[in-house]
Amino acid sequence: QVHLVESGGGSVQSGGSLGLSCVVSTITYPTYCVGWFREVEGKGREEVAAMDADGNTFYSPAAKGRFTISKNSADSTYMLQMVDLKPEDSAMYYCAADMAPSISPGPLGRCGLEYWDKGTLVTVSA
């Protein structure tokens, strides 16, 4: 239903910045939400940020104030700009999307981020 192609990530020192991009395409219906979650081995999934179809943005407490999700109005590219990165931000970051709102609200509103790409690694060194 949805095809996601993520790019960006890499390694940076603490306090540095990185950007992630995600090109989203669908066959039939537009996405409801696009966003990112991250995973650290052994710690499970952590929602990071999302934007719904109305342009509303949602952030986890860890991301708020440092991460910004945006969309290029000319195409279906979403960006996650991350500044003031910390070692605890190190993780695999997955671009993800929904085709419909979640039944129950979660960390990112009704963005459940059910479909995701293969992920990209972000490493922040102290």
Side-chain angles (χ1 to χ4, degrees):
Q1 286 183 308
V2 58
H3 188 226
L4 306 162
V5 179
E6 184 174 12
S7 61
S11 299
V12 67
Q13 288 190 325
S14 182
S17 302
L18 282 174
L20 305 179
S21 295
C22 184
V23 179
V24 181
S25 58
T26 59
I27 297 175
T28 52
Y29 302 104
T31 55
Y32 172 73
C33 274
V34 176
W36 275 266
F37 66 86
R38 64 190 184 188
E39 283 190 345
V40 176
E41 190 172 351
K43 292 189 177 181
R45 169 172 163 163
E46 179 185 7
E47 315 301 279
V48 175
M51 177 183 287
D52 69 15
D54 293 327
N56 299 308
T57 56
F58 306 89
Y59 297 95
S60 68
K64 199 166 188 177
R66 299 187 299 123
F67 295 6
T68 303
I69 186 170
S70 60
K71 181 185 178 185
N72 186 334
S73 59
D75 57 28
S76 295
T77 300
Y78 290 77
M79 287 80 69
L80 183 69
Q81 184 64 33
M82 305 180 289
V83 301
D84 190 23
L85 284 162
K86 305 173 182 180
E88 51 263 41
D89 293 317
S90 298
M92 282 294 290
Y93 283 71
Y94 296 86
C95 176
D98 283 324
M99 303 305 293
S102 298
I103 296 174
S104 302
L108 300 178
R110 293 190 180 275
C111 297
L113 304 181
E114 297 181 341
Y115 304 93
W116 55 86
D117 188 27
K118 62 183 184 304
T120 188
L121 184 63
V122 170
T123 303
V124 185
S125 58

